[in-house]
Amino acid sequence: MDKAFFFQQGNDQQVFCHLCAHGCRIKEGKTGICGVRKNVGGILYPLTYGRIISGHVDPIEKKPFFHICPGSLAYSIATVGCNFQCLNCQNYQISQFPGTGQPVPGKDTTPEEVVENTIRSGCASIAYTYTEPTVFFEFSYDTARLAKDRGLYNLYVTNGFMTSEAAVHLSAVLDGANIDLKSFSDGFYRKVCKARLAPVLNTIRLLKKHGVWVEVTTLIIPGMNDSEDELRQIAGFIKATDPGIPWHVSAFYPTYKMMDAPPTPPESLMRARDIGLDSGLRYVYTGNVKVADAENTFCYKCGQAVVKRSRYTVLSNRLKNGCCPDCGTAIDGIWDRS
């Protein structure tokens, strides 16, 4: 097993992990918060390398990416583990698996095999998703380098809680990142995710600055992050970074350790969407619930629908070389690799 990226050796065989913003100090024989990066003899090793727990073909819209190659397929992979401990995690069985103390499960897979499976499946991209791809950084990076050489897109679906060093390194092989901006409250991040807000904001800015296509997703949880003030803060941050960043506002459903919160009503999503558009964002979408026209992409200049969708299915795509066919405005996104 090759050693991990982004760590520093300390005294008494301790190591300091610089992959994510937790900055774990890890003693000999122990792992960091993610549970999948272990100190063995003063060297940090990724226990997840090549241990694929899930590999599926998904519509790219399901990730969700609405502004990269609409209607295409993404080969989605994951390992166990996460650097968050979200109370409402939908994939807690695999994200929190390292906490069971059992050996890391998964099918031994090489980066070459992932790329070949992607091509064989007719997919245009590889999505590193389901759990947090930062914790299987080495495998995702090696796979992404090969994928890029074969003309495939590389997509991270991430909580964004990585260091600046890791984000810049990743940007060399990454085409797109959908980053969860779970709240604009550091208190929410500390209570619900056992993390912090500032590193997530930094990653959004940094990946955008380094040429990665960024989309942002916020899961709207009633009574926790759905106030008008907070939604305006999120929208304002996105606009200040780039008004062309799509914002996905998605419905929450009770799960895991957050069974007492009610599901998000559709009208709350529409209110969040209106706030985003009113704040100057060009593209705001609803998710996890059917709302008429709220999945469609509209030209921000003339208002005409250029891509129509329904539950991860593209019904029509009128874009002409990435531009609105009615007024000629360039629509933000990656529509064609050429």
Side-chain angles (χ1 to χ4, degrees):
M1 186 190 310
D2 289 337
K3 64 183 181 181
F5 295 178
F6 311 117
F7 77 92
Q8 178 185 358
Q9 293 177 308
N11 297 328
D12 301 322
Q13 291 194 317
Q14 293 184 94
V15 298
F16 297 87
C17 182
H18 300 305
L19 175 63
C20 93
H22 285 304
C24 293
R25 182 178 67 179
I26 307 171
K27 295 181 179 179
E28 155 67 20
K30 302 296 184 180
T31 64
I33 288 173
C34 65
V36 294
R37 299 171 72 76
K38 187 174 183 178
N39 178 353
V40 180
I43 303 294
L44 191 64
Y45 291 97
L47 303 180
T48 52
Y49 195 97
R51 303 291 292 167
I52 301 301
I53 195 68
S54 183
H56 297 291
V57 175
D58 292 319
I60 197 170
E61 285 78 16
K62 192 175 182 179
K63 299 298 90 191
F65 284 98
F66 278 18
H67 286 240
I68 297 181
C69 221
S72 66
L73 298 175
Y75 190 72
S76 302
I77 63 169
T79 69
V80 299
C82 187
N83 53 356
F84 276 17
Q85 299 172 25
C86 297
L87 301 179
N88 60 321
C89 182
Q90 296 180 349
N91 295 313
Y92 65 91
Q93 296 95 335
I94 54 176
S95 71
Q96 304 305 312
F97 183 90
T100 67
Q102 300 179 59
V104 172
K107 179 182 178 183
D108 285 326
T109 310
T110 65
E112 290 82 1
E113 288 171 329
V114 172
V115 171
E116 290 305 322
N117 288 341
T118 303
I119 294 171
R120 192 179 305 116
S121 301
C123 297
S125 58
I126 301 174
Y128 309 88
T129 181
Y130 300 137
T131 57
E132 175 49 47
T134 301
V135 305
F136 61 98
F137 189 99
E138 294 80 8
F139 185 75
S140 66
Y141 184 82
D142 287 349
T143 302
R145 285 195 306 168
L146 294 176
K148 202 169 187 67
D149 289 341
R150 299 291 295 274
L152 299 170
Y153 295 97
N154 289 300
L155 312 174
Y156 251 44
V157 182
T158 175
N159 59 34
F161 201 69
M162 61 186 77
T163 61
S164 297
E165 181 183 7
V168 172
H169 195 77
L170 182 64
S171 68
V173 296
L174 198 63
D175 294 288
N178 189 303
I179 303 173
D180 283 340
L181 182 48
K182 298 175 184 291
S183 168
F184 216 71
S185 162
D186 192 65
F188 177 101
Y189 267 88
R190 291 178 184 276
K191 177 181 178 181
V192 176
C193 311
K194 305 298 186 289
R196 291 171 288 116
L197 169 63
V200 180
L201 302 181
N202 182 61
T203 297
I204 292 172
R205 295 189 192 100
L206 203 53
L207 288 182
K208 189 67 183 177
K209 176 183 176 181
H210 282 80
V212 177
W213 175 254
V214 173
E215 303 194 20
V216 170
T217 295
T218 302
L219 187 72
I220 306 297
I221 306 175
M224 298 195 72
N225 64 351
D226 63 342
S227 70
E228 180 170 343
D229 181 60
E230 183 162 358
L231 293 173
R232 288 197 179 277
Q233 289 182 70
I234 294 173
F237 166 79
I238 296 172
K239 184 190 177 185
T241 304
D242 188 329
I245 293 177
W247 186 27
H248 301 263
V249 289
S250 296
F252 162 85
Y253 294 95
T255 187
Y256 193 33
K257 297 180 180 181
M258 201 179 283
M259 298 298 296
D260 53 343
T264 312
E267 50 269 26
S268 292
L269 294 187
M270 288 306 297
R271 180 170 59 90
R273 182 172 183 268
D274 289 343
I275 287 172
L277 294 172
D278 182 63
S279 297
L281 299 183
R282 294 173 181 172
Y283 319 100
V284 186
Y285 304 102
T286 63
N288 292 347
V289 66
K290 179 63 177 175
V291 178
D293 295 331
E295 295 173 279
N296 296 340
T297 298
F298 295 93
C299 174
Y300 65 94
K301 288 290 187 182
C302 71
Q304 294 299 306
V306 292
V307 182
K308 292 186 177 181
R309 304 177 183 83
S310 178
R311 290 298 179 94
Y312 314 132
T313 299
V314 173
L315 304 178
S316 67
N317 181 353
R318 301 174 56 238
L319 288 170
K320 301 296 184 183
N321 297 318
C323 296
C324 172
D326 298 298
C327 70
T329 297
I331 305 301
D332 304 271
I334 302 174
W335 310 112
D336 189 324
R337 180 170 288 279
S338 63

